[in-house]
Amino acid sequence: MHIYIDTLYNVVFRSYNPYLSPSRNMTKHKIEIKKIENIAARQVAFSKRRRSLFKKAGELSTLCDAEVALLVFSATGKLFQHSSSSVEQVVEMHKDMHSSIDKSSYHPPMELQMRNEVADKTHELRQLNGEELQELKFQELMKLEERLLKGLTRVLKAKDERMANDITVLAKKGVDLMQENKKLLQIADEKEQA
């Protein structure tokens, strides 16, 4: 009796959905994405997937506080719609955005530009510190080495200049102290003679 019911179930079930295997367990598995030839199975799949799509759109709207509008036309031309507020409002928002922004002169918000620039500079700094080098090609590594050598040359030059300036300042202070010492010795000699 059990075998007959199971076989009957597989025959009936497969006639509605030929993409599922006739296995006994009802686990989810990948199906081939192509047009479903059986009209009844196609309508059932459309209905289920449309409900799932609308549910996901509602979740996206709730979780991310996003304005979402979906328009779905069935094979017969029937319109199904779902939106977080009203489809008309979302469509008007879309129209307003695209009519007020000339795409050729569109610039992302300054905050977004700054974030991207900070991220780029941080990545560049890490590479200059010898981190995150795996993704670089040989030519990029050569350019990085050249930049580091030029930077090192500039650092050494600045250090040498600073050291020379410090030596000059200290030598001048030494000369000033020697002159001050001579003056003090002369004053001390004059006091002793007096």
Side-chain angles (χ1 to χ4, degrees), residues 3 7 18 34 37 40 49 52 74 82 86 90 93 101 116 131 137 141 144 152 156 163 178:
I3 296 172
T7 307
K34 67 177 188 175
E37 296 302 326
R49 287 180 180 253
S52 297
S74 69
H82 172 83
S86 121
V90 176
M93 190 185 315
I101 297 175
N116 289 341
E131 301 169 8
K137 297 176 182 161
L141 286 169
L144 181 61
L152 181 61
L156 290 173
M163 196 180 303
M178 296 273 279

Short mmCIF file of all heavy atoms in Angstrom, two decimals, residues 3 7 18 34 37 40 49 52 74 82 86 90 93 101 116 131 137 141 144 152 156 163 178:
data_model
loop_
_atom_site.label_atom_id
_atom_site.label_comp_id
_atom_site.label_asym_id
_atom_site.label_seq_id
_atom_site.Cartn_x
_atom_site.Cartn_y
_atom_site.Cartn_z
N ILE A 3 3.97 1.68 -1.07
CA ILE A 3 4.67 1.84 -2.34
C ILE A 3 3.74 2.42 -3.40
O ILE A 3 4.10 3.30 -4.16
CB ILE A 3 5.27 0.48 -2.82
CG1 ILE A 3 6.32 0.01 -1.82
CG2 ILE A 3 5.83 0.59 -4.22
CD1 ILE A 3 6.82 -1.37 -2.07
N THR A 7 4.36 5.94 -5.23
CA THR A 7 4.48 5.98 -6.69
C THR A 7 3.44 6.90 -7.27
O THR A 7 3.73 7.72 -8.15
CB THR A 7 4.34 4.56 -7.27
OG1 THR A 7 5.25 3.70 -6.63
CG2 THR A 7 4.58 4.57 -8.76
N PRO A 18 8.10 19.01 -13.21
CA PRO A 18 9.03 18.00 -13.73
C PRO A 18 10.48 18.27 -13.33
O PRO A 18 11.35 17.48 -13.61
CB PRO A 18 8.86 18.13 -15.24
CG PRO A 18 8.41 19.53 -15.44
CD PRO A 18 7.59 19.88 -14.25
N LYS A 34 14.82 27.91 -16.19
CA LYS A 34 14.37 28.04 -17.57
C LYS A 34 12.85 28.10 -17.53
O LYS A 34 12.24 27.83 -16.49
CB LYS A 34 14.87 26.90 -18.45
CG LYS A 34 14.29 25.54 -18.14
CD LYS A 34 14.78 24.51 -19.13
CE LYS A 34 14.03 23.20 -18.91
NZ LYS A 34 14.38 22.21 -19.90
N GLU A 37 7.39 24.76 -18.83
CA GLU A 37 6.51 24.48 -19.97
C GLU A 37 5.08 24.19 -19.53
O GLU A 37 4.13 24.58 -20.20
CB GLU A 37 7.06 23.32 -20.80
CG GLU A 37 8.40 23.61 -21.45
CD GLU A 37 8.38 24.84 -22.37
OE1 GLU A 37 7.35 25.10 -23.03
OE2 GLU A 37 9.40 25.54 -22.42
N ALA A 40 0.12 25.05 -15.70
CA ALA A 40 -0.35 25.05 -14.30
C ALA A 40 0.84 25.22 -13.35
O ALA A 40 0.78 26.01 -12.40
CB ALA A 40 -1.10 23.76 -14.00
N ARG A 49 6.53 32.59 -6.12
CA ARG A 49 7.72 33.45 -6.20
C ARG A 49 7.36 34.93 -6.08
O ARG A 49 8.10 35.71 -5.53
CB ARG A 49 8.50 33.17 -7.47
CG ARG A 49 9.22 31.83 -7.40
CD ARG A 49 10.00 31.53 -8.64
NE ARG A 49 10.67 30.25 -8.51
CZ ARG A 49 11.98 30.12 -8.33
NH1 ARG A 49 12.75 31.17 -8.27
NH2 ARG A 49 12.51 28.92 -8.22
N SER A 52 6.91 35.55 -2.44
CA SER A 52 8.23 35.59 -1.79
C SER A 52 8.96 36.88 -2.10
O SER A 52 9.59 37.48 -1.22
CB SER A 52 9.08 34.40 -2.26
OG SER A 52 8.51 33.20 -1.88
N SER A 74 2.08 39.75 -14.90
CA SER A 74 2.04 38.32 -15.18
C SER A 74 2.07 38.09 -16.70
O SER A 74 2.01 39.05 -17.48
CB SER A 74 0.77 37.71 -14.58
OG SER A 74 -0.36 38.18 -15.31
N HIS A 82 3.54 46.13 -5.12
CA HIS A 82 3.83 46.15 -3.68
C HIS A 82 4.75 47.33 -3.43
O HIS A 82 5.65 47.61 -4.21
CB HIS A 82 4.54 44.86 -3.25
CG HIS A 82 5.04 44.91 -1.84
ND1 HIS A 82 4.23 44.64 -0.78
CD2 HIS A 82 6.25 45.21 -1.34
CE1 HIS A 82 4.93 44.78 0.33
NE2 HIS A 82 6.17 45.12 0.01
N SER A 86 3.61 54.10 -1.00
CA SER A 86 2.70 54.01 -2.13
C SER A 86 3.54 53.98 -3.39
O SER A 86 4.55 54.68 -3.49
CB SER A 86 1.74 55.20 -2.10
OG SER A 86 1.82 55.98 -3.26
N VAL A 90 6.75 56.52 -4.62
CA VAL A 90 8.11 56.03 -4.92
C VAL A 90 8.46 56.36 -6.36
O VAL A 90 9.58 56.80 -6.66
CB VAL A 90 8.24 54.53 -4.63
CG1 VAL A 90 9.61 54.01 -5.03
CG2 VAL A 90 7.98 54.24 -3.15
N MET A 93 9.18 60.01 -6.55
CA MET A 93 10.50 60.27 -5.96
C MET A 93 11.59 59.94 -6.97
O MET A 93 12.55 60.70 -7.13
CB MET A 93 10.67 59.41 -4.70
CG MET A 93 11.87 59.75 -3.86
SD MET A 93 12.12 58.62 -2.44
CE MET A 93 10.51 58.44 -1.76
N ILE A 101 18.58 65.94 -11.36
CA ILE A 101 20.02 65.67 -11.43
C ILE A 101 20.42 65.43 -12.88
O ILE A 101 19.94 64.51 -13.52
CB ILE A 101 20.39 64.42 -10.60
CG1 ILE A 101 20.10 64.67 -9.13
CG2 ILE A 101 21.85 64.06 -10.78
CD1 ILE A 101 20.31 63.46 -8.26
N ASN A 116 35.46 57.77 0.69
CA ASN A 116 36.22 57.02 -0.32
C ASN A 116 37.68 57.47 -0.34
O ASN A 116 38.58 56.64 -0.45
CB ASN A 116 35.59 57.21 -1.70
CG ASN A 116 34.26 56.50 -1.82
OD1 ASN A 116 33.96 55.59 -1.04
ND2 ASN A 116 33.45 56.91 -2.76
N GLU A 131 52.23 46.71 4.28
CA GLU A 131 51.08 45.85 4.52
C GLU A 131 50.23 45.78 3.25
O GLU A 131 50.31 46.64 2.39
CB GLU A 131 50.23 46.41 5.66
CG GLU A 131 50.99 46.55 6.97
CD GLU A 131 50.23 47.35 8.01
OE1 GLU A 131 49.04 47.67 7.79
OE2 GLU A 131 50.82 47.68 9.04
N LYS A 137 50.77 43.77 -8.31
CA LYS A 137 51.53 43.11 -9.36
C LYS A 137 52.97 43.58 -9.27
O LYS A 137 53.30 44.53 -8.56
CB LYS A 137 50.93 43.44 -10.73
CG LYS A 137 49.52 42.93 -10.88
CD LYS A 137 48.93 43.35 -12.19
CE LYS A 137 47.49 42.85 -12.26
NZ LYS A 137 46.70 43.53 -13.23
N LEU A 141 54.60 46.90 -7.51
CA LEU A 141 55.61 46.81 -6.44
C LEU A 141 56.85 47.64 -6.77
O LEU A 141 57.42 48.30 -5.90
CB LEU A 141 55.99 45.35 -6.20
CG LEU A 141 54.95 44.49 -5.48
CD1 LEU A 141 55.34 43.03 -5.53
CD2 LEU A 141 54.77 44.95 -4.05
N LEU A 144 55.98 51.23 -6.16
CA LEU A 144 55.94 51.47 -4.72
C LEU A 144 57.35 51.59 -4.17
O LEU A 144 57.64 52.47 -3.35
CB LEU A 144 55.19 50.33 -4.02
CG LEU A 144 55.03 50.44 -2.52
CD1 LEU A 144 54.25 51.68 -2.13
CD2 LEU A 144 54.33 49.20 -1.97
N LEU A 152 62.39 58.18 1.04
CA LEU A 152 63.53 57.99 1.94
C LEU A 152 64.61 59.03 1.65
O LEU A 152 65.21 59.60 2.57
CB LEU A 152 64.09 56.57 1.81
CG LEU A 152 65.27 56.22 2.70
CD1 LEU A 152 64.89 56.35 4.17
CD2 LEU A 152 65.78 54.83 2.40
N LEU A 156 65.97 61.65 4.35
CA LEU A 156 67.39 61.77 4.71
C LEU A 156 67.90 63.19 4.46
O LEU A 156 68.66 63.74 5.26
CB LEU A 156 68.22 60.75 3.92
CG LEU A 156 68.01 59.28 4.32
CD1 LEU A 156 68.75 58.36 3.38
CD2 LEU A 156 68.45 59.06 5.76
N MET A 163 69.94 68.58 10.85
CA MET A 163 71.14 68.38 11.66
C MET A 163 72.15 69.51 11.41
O MET A 163 72.75 70.03 12.36
CB MET A 163 71.78 67.02 11.33
CG MET A 163 72.78 66.55 12.36
SD MET A 163 73.54 64.94 11.97
CE MET A 163 72.14 63.89 11.82
N MET A 178 81.29 81.54 24.53
CA MET A 178 82.73 81.83 24.68
C MET A 178 82.94 83.34 24.85
O MET A 178 83.74 83.76 25.70
CB MET A 178 83.51 81.33 23.46
CG MET A 178 83.47 79.83 23.27
SD MET A 178 84.71 78.96 24.14
CE MET A 178 86.09 79.16 23.11
#
